[in-house]
C-alpha cells in the first residue's frame, strides 16, 4: 500500500474506528452541550476542526524543536497554553465574522480550551512519535470524527424532541442513552481496518 493510502486509512481510522467521542470518550462536554441543534453542532465541529488542526501543527513543531527530550515534562503545560491562545483567536474571529454562531455556541466555545479531545490529540501525536504528515492526518481524522459524532447526535436530538417519550427519560437521560447506543454502533467499525 502506498504512503498516501496509509494516510487515508489513518483518517478513516481516527474518524470512525477510534472516534474520539464515542470510542475514547474525550470531548463529552461540548458533545452533550452543543448537540441540541444541527446548525450549532456543525459550527462547533468546524471550530474544533480548526483548533485541533492548528494546535496539532503548532504543538508538533514546538515539541520537536523546542521541548525535545530534555523539556518533555513541560509538554502538557505548553500544549494547554497553545490551545488556549488558539481558542481565543477562534473566539475573536467568530465574534466579529459570525456573531450569530458565536451567540449560539455561547459558553461552549471557550470550553474548547478545556476540551480534552484537543489536548488528547496533541499529546497522543507527541507520545506516538508521529511525523508531521501523520500528526496532521491523525488530527484532521480525529476532528472529523468529532464533527460526525456531534452532527449525528444533534440530528437525533432534534427528532427526539418531536417524539413522545416517558417523563423520566426527558432531557439528559435520553441523551445519555442515545450516546450509549451511538457508541455501541461505532464499536461495529472496530476490526474493519
Amino acid at each position: 500500500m502506498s504512503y498516501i493510502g496509509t494516510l487515508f486509512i489513518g483518517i478513516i481510522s481516527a474518524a470512525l474506528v477510534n472516534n474520539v467521542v464515542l470510542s475514547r470518550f474525550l470531548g463529552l462536554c461540548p458533545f452533550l452541550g452543543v448537540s441540541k441543534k444541527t446548525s450549532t453542532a456543525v459550527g462547533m465541529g468546524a471550530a474544533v476542526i480548526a483548533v485541533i488542526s492548528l494546535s496539532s501543527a503548532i504543538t508538533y513543531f514546538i515539541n520537536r524543536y523546542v521541548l525535545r527530550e530534555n523539556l518533555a515534562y513541560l509538554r502538557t503545560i505548553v500544549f494547554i497554553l497553545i490551545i488556549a491562545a488558539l481558542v481565543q483567536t477562534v473566539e475573536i474571529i467568530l465574534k466579529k465574522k459570525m456573531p450569530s454562531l458565536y451567540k449560539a455556541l455561547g459558553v461552549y466555545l471557550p470550553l474548547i480550551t478545556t476540551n480534552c479531545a484537543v489536548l488528547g490529540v496533541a499529546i497522543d501525536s507527541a507520545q506516538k512519535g508521529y511525523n508531521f504528515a501523520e500528526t496532521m492526518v491523525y488530527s484532521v481524522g480525529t476532528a472529523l470524527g468529532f464533527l460526525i459524532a456531534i452532527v449525528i447526535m444533534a440530528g437525533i436530538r432534534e427528532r427526539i424532541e418531536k417524539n413522545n417519550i416517558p417523563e423520566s427519560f426527558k432531557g439528559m437521560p435520553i441523551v445519555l442513552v442515545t450516546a450509549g447506543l451511538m457508541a455501541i454502533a461505532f464499536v461495529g467499525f472496530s476490526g474493519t481496518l
Side-chain angles (χ1 to χ4, degrees):
M1 183 178 293
S2 70
Y3 186 66
I4 300 294
T6 304
L7 294 178
F8 179 73
I9 288 176
I11 287 179
I12 299 300
S13 174
L16 298 176
V17 177
N18 299 314
N19 187 285
V20 69
V21 177
L22 301 172
S23 296
R24 298 178 61 201
F25 305 109
L26 298 174
L28 288 176
C29 182
F31 173 71
L32 295 173
V34 182
S35 61
K36 291 179 183 174
K37 291 184 179 180
T38 306
S39 58
T40 56
V42 170
M44 175 58 88
V48 168
I49 288 173
V51 170
I52 285 180
S53 301
L54 289 171
S55 67
S56 292
I58 293 168
T59 56
Y60 171 81
F61 290 110
I62 296 290
N63 187 55
R64 180 159 177 134
Y65 297 112
V66 177
L67 298 178
R68 298 186 187 169
E69 295 299 321
N70 53 348
L71 295 175
Y73 63 92
L74 293 174
R75 185 180 291 153
T76 303
I77 294 169
V78 171
F79 287 4
I80 288 172
L81 291 173
I82 291 168
I83 291 166
L86 284 171
V87 169
Q88 289 298 318
T89 305
V90 168
E91 189 173 1
I92 290 168
I93 291 170
L94 283 179
K95 191 173 185 178
K96 291 197 182 264
K97 301 288 183 184
M98 299 178 197
S100 61
L101 180 59
Y102 174 77
K103 286 181 184 177
L105 292 176
V107 71
Y108 294 101
L109 186 59
L111 282 178
I112 295 175
T113 303
T114 59
N115 186 342
C116 51
V118 179
L119 181 61
V121 169
I123 289 176
D124 274 355
S125 297
Q127 287 178 342
K128 292 178 181 176
Y130 288 157
N131 64 29
F132 184 70
E134 293 167 339
T135 297
M136 294 313 297
V137 163
Y138 179 64
S139 65
V140 169
T142 301
L144 285 174
F146 182 86
L147 175 69
I148 289 167
I150 198 169
V151 168
I152 290 173
M153 176 59 94
I156 292 171
R157 285 181 76 174
E158 285 177 350
R159 292 189 64 132
I160 287 174
E161 285 183 18
K162 297 176 184 173
N163 292 321
N164 187 17
I165 58 172
E167 192 65 35
S168 60
F169 279 99
K170 286 187 178 177
M172 197 50 69
I174 193 68
V175 173
L176 293 174
V177 168
T178 304
L181 293 172
M182 285 176 61
I184 291 170
F186 270 71
V187 167
F189 289 118
S190 63
T192 57
L193 295 177

